[in-house]
Amino acid sequence: MSSMSSTQKPNPPGPPGEKASPGKTEKKVDPAAITGYLLSGMVLYGGLGWLIDRWAGTSNVFAPIGVVFGLAAGLFLTFRQLSVLERQERAELLRKRRERADAAADALAARQAQDSQDQQDPHDR
């Protein structure tokens, strides 16, 4: 049995130049999880509304309210999951950009150091 959640998938092999991290997982949106959030919220809260209707002796007052509330709760959970995934994706993109900028700055500094060394010792040419 796997310890990954339904929204985690193993990273596919990257380009040859990139290091692969075997234990790292990439989070993706799972349509089945979204459907589950929406349906289970509607069924759970609709059922609670139906039970309250039976207990209070009313006829179909709380059941529709429960269904609507369950749909709203499912939508909230879905949007929360999507915002977390988007935030993680944005942080990963910024991290990669910083790494590239640092590598470019290091290469530029090395090139400038080499150029200044070449200018100081003209006899080595």
Side-chain angles (χ1 to χ4, degrees):
M1 179 171 259
S2 175
S3 65
M4 272 191 253
S5 76
S6 64
T7 59
Q8 293 181 342
K9 302 208 167 91
N11 275 340
E18 279 189 31
K19 294 184 223 172
S21 52
K24 191 174 179 184
T25 58
E26 183 177 308
K27 292 190 177 239
K28 294 288 182 188
V29 176
D30 186 11
I34 293 172
T35 305
Y37 283 148
L38 296 176
L39 290 178
S40 63
M42 289 172 31
V43 168
L44 176 71
Y45 288 107
L48 287 174
W50 178 79
L51 287 173
I52 292 171
D53 276 337
R54 297 270 306 210
W55 176 73
T58 59
S59 126
N60 293 331
V61 173
F62 292 103
I65 293 171
V67 169
V68 170
F69 183 76
L71 180 63
L75 286 172
F76 169 75
L77 290 175
T78 300
F79 287 127
R80 187 181 69 174
Q81 180 184 16
L82 290 175
S83 69
V84 166
L85 292 175
E86 182 181 353
R87 231 178 297 134
Q88 290 173 346
E89 190 175 284
R90 192 177 308 130
E92 181 67 20
L93 179 65
L94 288 173
R95 186 189 62 78
K96 286 180 182 178
R97 284 183 182 170
R98 283 188 196 114
E99 286 176 358
R100 282 190 226 132
D102 289 344
D106 291 343
L108 182 62
R111 186 173 179 187
Q112 287 175 345
Q114 182 66 33
D115 287 347
S116 68
Q117 187 180 26
D118 288 345
Q119 288 175 356
Q120 289 175 358
D121 195 5
H123 298 292
D124 289 341
R125 290 186 180 193

